[in-house]
Amino acid sequence: MRRQVFARNGAILAVLLMFGSIGFGKVPIIFDTDMGNDIDDALALAMLHTLTDRGECQLIGVTLTNANPAAVPYVRMINRFYGRGALPVGSALRHVPGGDLDNYLSAALRTAPASYQESGIQPAAEPSVILLRRLLAAAPEKIVIVQVGFSTNLAALLDSNADSASPKNGMELVREKVELLVAMAGDFAEPKPEYNVKLDIDSARSVFERWPTPIIFSGFEIGRELLFPAESIQRDFAYTEWHPVAASYRAYSKMPYNRPTWDLTAALAAVRADHHYFGYSPKGRVHVEKDGATRFEPGGGDRSYLKLDATAGPRILEALTLLTSEPPHLGVAK
């Protein structure tokens, strides 16, 4: 096979975070995902690797809320493709009914070249809360969490006790070490239950109401209006004979199809707040109803949600497709 090695770019533009906080250099990112249920998680992870390559953020860990046995090996495989095989991956804390699907994980793993496969006996992944506590405690600066799955891990983090990683409890640790949480969750256009919320309502309520730092929500209505084009999968990922994201996209559903970019919009908003892709609601509070529907109450809080101007759609989609399909700077595409 032909080997193509892509040179690493230097660090680029400073990143402006919402709520008046300005950070220069790389924004540390933890990606909390239910990888395997929908294909947008895989696309979003690829995009965060590219943004790390570009120096716009620093992906420091991935935590899972999908307890499917293939989820950890799959994420590790993606990380190896992008040259970050040592990136820590946290396993799901528990089974979430209806939330441990394998819609492309095993299919992509079966077709992966040997260089991206796990060889020998691999160490078990740390439970996500243990990894979250360890990453937060060790972080020299405040980090941003991108949550695109269920709220299971982050609710458990808030309730965690002091341990060997930190003498602080979860609430104290989050308050000290987290700058911002960006969550793909809820529906702020219609009072309907959204998947990431309704599968673990109690955890979502706990996080949305108790989380001690600002939260930005990318609601169901945002990604629904921005469809990732099948044409990009067929064209832009062809720089290598096998690409994990392209293989996963083809396994998820019959091609050609265009899939909503729910999780990608959360990742983009977390890293590129200064690009003004989206508008924002006023600040307020977000409540979770008994059926999993979300209700926004303006005023008296530090939660807000993304708003989409229809004229911005083409520009956002261009960014999403380019960042998702960019060849890895550290990895070796074969």
Side-chain angles (χ1 to χ4, degrees):
M1 295 182 181
R2 184 165 60 92
R3 301 172 70 90
Q4 298 172 303
V5 183
F6 301 92
R8 178 177 176 80
N9 285 351
I12 62 174
L13 192 66
V15 178
L16 173 65
L17 292 176
M18 196 181 178
F19 302 100
S21 176
I22 300 178
F24 295 92
K26 299 178 180 180
V27 180
I29 297 283
I30 295 174
F31 186 55
D32 188 61
T33 169
D34 64 326
M35 186 74 69
N37 292 310
D38 203 320
I39 192 59
D40 55 336
D41 297 77
L43 293 165
L45 179 55
M47 189 170 72
L48 288 172
H49 275 291
T50 294
L51 288 165
T52 298
D53 282 345
R54 287 171 169 237
E56 297 184 51
C57 71
Q58 182 65 46
L59 182 60
I60 63 172
V62 179
T63 51
L64 286 158
T65 52
N66 181 342
N68 190 283
V72 168
Y74 177 88
V75 172
R76 286 174 170 171
M77 178 267 292
I78 293 282
N79 294 343
R80 279 193 293 273
F81 178 85
Y82 284 93
R84 297 185 177 88
L87 194 72
V89 179
S91 60
L93 300 181
R94 59 180 172 85
H95 164 71
V96 175
D100 60 354
L101 304 179
D102 180 356
N103 285 324
Y104 53 85
L105 305 172
S106 295
L109 286 166
R110 282 194 301 269
T111 63
S115 56
Y116 305 131
Q117 297 276 7
E118 292 187 340
S119 58
I121 299 176
Q122 297 295 315
E126 291 178 281
S128 284
V129 167
I130 292 177
L131 177 57
L132 284 165
R133 288 186 57 84
R134 184 167 64 81
L135 291 174
L136 291 179
E141 57 186 307
K142 289 195 172 186
I143 64 95
V144 173
I145 297 178
V146 179
Q147 177 190 290
V148 298
F150 322 124
S151 296
T152 315
N153 290 338
L154 299 192
L157 172 63
L158 291 180
D159 292 334
S160 64
N161 297 316
D163 60 8
S164 59
S166 172
K168 299 180 182 297
N169 64 35
M171 188 69 75
E172 294 167 338
L173 192 57
V174 169
R175 186 178 291 113
E176 178 185 4
K177 289 297 185 77
V178 176
E179 178 78 23
L180 177 69
L181 169 61
V182 182
M184 191 280 115
D187 187 331
F188 299 95
E190 299 180 73
K192 295 181 178 179
E194 184 271 321
Y195 177 79
N196 285 344
V197 177
K198 70 181 181 181
L199 261 66
D200 192 350
I201 293 173
D202 289 343
S203 291
R205 183 179 293 116
S206 175
V207 172
F208 300 174
E209 297 184 359
R210 298 171 56 218
W211 191 262
T213 79
I215 305 178
I216 297 174
F217 292 88
S218 183
F220 176 85
E221 70 278 6
I222 300 296
R224 177 189 59 193
E225 299 302 318
L226 300 166
L227 301 182
F228 197 91
E231 180 184 3
S232 176
I233 297 295
Q234 296 167 327
R235 179 194 63 221
D236 300 333
F237 294 79
Y239 61 83
T240 179
E241 294 180 31
W242 183 87
H243 196 294
V245 172
S248 301
Y249 199 96
R250 292 186 177 101
Y252 181 75
S253 188
K254 183 178 180 180
M255 289 286 282
Y257 69 97
N258 302 332
R259 189 67 181 158
T261 56
W262 292 299
D263 296 351
L264 289 78
T265 60
L268 188 68
V271 179
R272 286 189 169 181
D274 59 338
H275 284 57
H276 307 293
Y277 291 116
F278 305 99
Y280 296 89
S281 75
K283 297 178 187 178
R285 302 178 187 275
V286 173
H287 302 283
V288 179
E289 308 292 356
K290 292 181 179 180
D291 64 351
T294 46
R295 176 172 54 86
F296 180 75
E297 178 186 333
D302 56 5
R303 279 57 165 140
S304 63
Y305 59 88
L306 299 182
K307 302 179 76 174
L308 178 64
D309 185 328
T311 62
R315 176 171 172 256
I316 296 171
L317 271 177
E318 180 182 43
L320 296 180
T321 54
L322 288 174
L323 291 171
T324 304
S325 63
E326 184 167 297
H329 297 201
L330 296 177
V332 179
K334 299 182 177 181

